[in-house]
Amino acid sequence: MATGRFGVGETLGALNAALRPPPPPSGPGGSVWFKENSARNLRSRDFLAPRGALQALFGDGQVPKDILDGVAALEGPGVPPIQKCTQTQAGLALQLERPTVFEQVLSSLRGYVAPQPTSSTSEHSIILDCVSLHGPKGPDALSLSQLRAVLVADHLAQALRTQGVTVYQVPAVQDPGLRDFLQQLKVSWPSASETSSAPESTVALKEVLRDHAAVPTEDLPPGVVCKVSLKEFLEQQPGLEGFDPNLDICLVTEDQLGALTELQEAAQHHPRNVPLSHSDAESSAGGTACSVIHVVSCEEAFQQQKVDLLWRLVDANAPSRQKHLVCGPVKVVGSPTPLSAPQYYRLRQSQMREASVLKYGVDFVQDDSWNEIIGALTSAAVKFEMLSTAHRSQMSLDLEHTSISTKGTKSGAFVMYNCARLATLFDGYQRGVEQAFSFLGLYPAFPDVSELDFSLLRDEGEWLLLFNGIIPFPEVLSQSAQLHVSSPGIQITANTKAVCKFLVHLSMDFSSYYNRVHILGDQVFDRLPEAGTEPGLGLPGTKSP
């Protein structure tokens, strides 16, 4: 897809095509080339076609000169300028024209803070059903596995919206205490006051279900509306695959009816004239592009399959594309008893406060503004901890360590610590500029981008931040929102840890550069007025008049 910015996927596609004939091998990914990420390899190359892959293409592994020259001269939408392409012992090594890449990327940064546009999702609408939020329960009833599902659903809603997907979040949260807890976590989810209820819809559902009832209603236990045979219904639907074979008789409760009512309301309000394609339109009820994603904890997965089938049973217009995104269990280390979600939040909050007191002093942290800061840090730490493991895998919470450390490189605290470093850096520079205008003089105002000499950016850490950080960022956002809603079966996965993984690696690269390079200082700005001097320490120099 042609865009006005450099893209890793577009570059790899163009490089693969340039090796034809013969064509790259088919199979998973179908890519001969890959992007380098490590500092060691990036010293000599940016992309590599390994020797083994070349041998599969060219027999002896030697790339013909005309093809080699074609790769070196490659141009196209999304492809950065190439400096050279050489045959090495490791394979075909390609290095970009780095000063030009720096200039073009840093001159158009706005294009790299938005997600990679994808035609496959821009017209799609999704009902995102967070199963753990159904019912009138309060926050203390929320388990850690359910909290994980809530955070995954919230993250997925935001990621999908960055792709232009219309997202309908259900259910509306009923309990005031649960609403307050979600606000503490900075989770954006609709509340009951923001949506209308439809008791008449629930009554209608009861009547339809009773038509399918396996036994008379007077013989049912208290709280059960009716009893239906889901096994019999499944046998009549040969196209439905992936449901648990143990599904049989279902005792339908009022809570399940409430969940069905909200799902029906959301389905009725989504746009009905935006099919993705002819095949996708046909696969959805009524020719629509709406899909339903049930985000569910592993402990609720079996029950949610019942709700899915009940919806299909009572409503012929229910979306046929319903997928279940199951979140694995949360194992707690260091706690003799199970923790509820609020208990876990309060523990992390106290640890964050303790760390702040140790660093800044008890008197300083008592300020009211610190309560807001610690709350934001706690919310970020909890989200990062819950999202940094693939959602389908079991995750472990280590509560034996009673403090939060920024020394580890894979924690939310480490990422936030480096975020704070950046904020302090920008703030310090801005205050230095303001001092310059007041004749106290520390830093000059940043020059126009057209005046900068990007050839001074020679430090490997600077290239790491650009090549591994800025350029791939739009594609990372897109990866986090990819959902294969047309895949067979009822289960689906999402790359919800993509952003966390990206932030960890970005923080590691920045931390290494920050610890090695004195970014703000008089010596840096002494080098700015003239080009051709020593490399700038974090800021490029300016061209001579």
Side-chain angles (χ1 to χ4, degrees):
M1 181 184 301
T3 67
R5 58 191 173 195
F6 301 141
V8 175
E10 293 161 306
T11 303
L12 290 173
L15 289 173
N16 284 321
L19 285 180
R20 298 174 180 174
S26 59
S31 182
V32 176
W33 293 85
F34 68 87
K35 172 186 174 294
E36 292 286 7
N37 294 304
S38 71
R40 178 181 178 182
N41 290 337
L42 284 172
R43 290 168 190 158
S44 58
R45 61 186 185 245
D46 298 311
F47 293 90
L48 178 72
R51 183 172 57 179
L54 296 178
Q55 289 174 338
L57 289 175
F58 302 102
D60 60 358
Q62 291 297 312
V63 181
K65 186 178 184 303
D66 60 328
I67 295 180
L68 192 65
D69 292 342
V71 172
L74 187 65
E75 294 181 350
V79 179
I82 297 170
Q83 182 191 58
K84 61 182 179 180
C85 181
T86 56
Q87 185 110 29
T88 68
Q89 285 295 318
L92 206 57
L94 182 143
Q95 191 166 50
L96 301 178
E97 189 67 50
R98 293 185 177 182
T100 305
V101 175
F102 267 119
E103 181 174 7
Q104 293 188 30
V105 172
L106 297 180
S107 298
S108 56
L109 273 178
R110 287 186 179 275
Y112 292 87
V113 297
Q116 186 83 11
T118 56
S119 59
S120 62
T121 56
S122 60
E123 296 180 310
H124 199 193
S125 63
I126 283 179
I127 297 172
L128 196 61
D129 176 26
C130 185
V131 177
S132 298
L133 295 179
H134 279 288
K137 62 187 173 189
D140 292 329
L142 205 64
S143 70
L144 292 180
S145 296
Q146 291 173 324
L147 173 63
R148 185 185 189 187
V150 170
L151 296 179
V152 166
D154 176 62
H155 176 77
L156 194 55
Q158 296 181 56
L160 288 168
R161 287 189 175 113
T162 66
Q163 293 292 290
V165 179
T166 302
V167 180
Y168 297 87
Q169 294 164 272
V170 294
V173 178
Q174 301 175 28
D175 183 79
L178 184 55
R179 285 203 301 267
D180 293 343
F181 181 60
L182 294 181
Q183 288 175 1
Q184 274 187 309
L185 287 167
K186 307 295 187 291
V187 169
S188 178
W189 207 268
S191 63
S193 60
E194 298 170 3
T195 60
S196 61
S197 60
E200 65 278 4
S201 300
T202 304
V203 173
L205 280 175
K206 286 182 181 180
E207 294 303 320
V208 175
L209 280 169
R210 283 169 178 161
D211 290 340
H212 295 272
V215 297
T217 56
E218 58 269 15
D219 297 332
L220 295 173
V224 175
V225 176
C226 64
K227 181 188 292 186
V228 297
S229 175
L230 295 180
K231 183 176 182 179
E232 181 180 331
F233 175 71
L234 263 175
E235 291 172 348
Q236 299 169 359
Q237 311 294 323
L240 294 182
E241 301 176 354
F243 284 90
D244 194 303
N246 295 314
L247 286 168
D248 195 352
I249 299 297
C250 175
L251 300 178
V252 184
T253 65
E254 292 284 353
D255 287 344
Q256 288 173 326
L257 285 180
L260 284 174
T261 299
E262 289 212 73
L263 289 168
Q264 276 192 321
E265 279 193 311
Q268 290 167 2
H269 287 89
H270 89 276
R272 293 186 171 271
N273 56 353
V274 286
L276 288 173
S277 65
H278 179 68
S279 60
D280 281 339
E282 287 182 346
S283 67
S284 178
T288 72
C290 177
S291 298
V292 180
I293 308 297
H294 303 282
V295 182
V296 57
S297 66
C298 57
E299 60 205 43
E300 298 169 311
F302 183 73
Q303 294 298 323
Q304 189 58 27
Q305 289 190 26
K306 296 180 181 180
V307 174
D308 180 330
L309 288 175
L310 286 172
W311 191 6
R312 299 173 194 265
L313 186 149
V314 301
D315 187 353
N317 293 318
S320 60
R321 290 186 303 189
Q322 295 190 48
K323 297 292 183 179
H324 297 242
L325 191 147
V326 181
C327 297
V330 178
K331 180 182 178 181
V332 177
V333 179
S335 176
T337 57
L339 282 182
S340 68
Q343 287 173 325
Y344 162 62
Y345 177 86
R346 289 192 292 268
L347 174 63
R348 289 295 186 237
Q349 186 179 44
S350 66
Q351 291 171 343
M352 193 67 72
R353 184 175 296 277
E354 179 184 352
S356 302
V357 168
L358 288 174
K359 188 171 182 66
Y360 300 105
V362 63
D363 294 334
F364 192 72
V365 177
Q366 292 301 321
D367 186 272
D368 287 342
S369 62
W370 268 95
N371 291 328
E372 183 177 348
I373 292 171
I374 290 172
L377 291 174
T378 303
S379 168
V382 167
K383 286 182 177 181
F384 198 94
E385 196 165 25
M386 288 283 181
L387 293 172
S388 56
T389 301
H391 69 80
R392 61 189 176 277
S393 302
Q394 174 178 292
M395 66 166 293
S396 296
L397 291 179
D398 187 358
L399 305 182
E400 291 181 332
H401 297 91
T402 58
S403 63
I404 290 180
S405 172
T406 59
K407 296 186 182 298
T409 57
K410 295 186 178 181
S411 69
F414 175 72
V415 172
M416 289 182 288
Y417 177 64
N418 283 282
C419 182
R421 276 176 159 178
L422 274 171
T424 302
L425 188 68
F426 293 140
D427 183 63
Y429 170 72
Q430 188 58 44
R431 283 188 283 107
V433 171
E434 293 169 358
Q435 288 179 8
F437 283 116
S438 64
F439 301 101
L440 297 177
L442 185 55
Y443 306 138
F446 202 86
D448 187 80
V449 174
S450 62
E451 300 175 16
L452 300 176
D453 182 0
F454 290 93
S455 67
L456 298 181
L457 290 171
R458 304 168 195 162
D459 189 282
E460 67 179 33
E462 292 156 354
W463 181 247
L464 278 172
L465 290 170
L466 185 96
F467 193 59
N468 288 346
I470 297 175
I471 292 177
F473 182 60
E475 293 175 50
V476 171
L477 291 180
S478 297
Q479 290 168 13
S480 68
Q482 286 179 354
L483 292 172
H484 300 290
V485 294
S486 298
S487 60
I490 63 168
Q491 291 208 12
I492 195 172
T493 59
N495 194 6
T496 51
K497 71 170 187 176
V499 173
C500 291
K501 183 179 179 181
F502 171 83
L503 289 174
V504 165
H505 288 292
L506 178 64
S507 298
M508 290 171 66
D509 288 342
F510 172 70
S511 181
S512 174
Y513 182 71
Y514 184 92
N515 291 333
R516 184 168 43 83
V517 175
H518 187 196
I519 297 175
L520 284 185
D522 295 340
Q523 293 180 348
V524 177
F525 292 92
D526 287 343
R527 296 177 185 178
L528 284 178
E530 298 182 4
T533 60
E534 295 181 16
L537 301 180
L539 291 171
T542 56
K543 298 176 182 177
S544 300

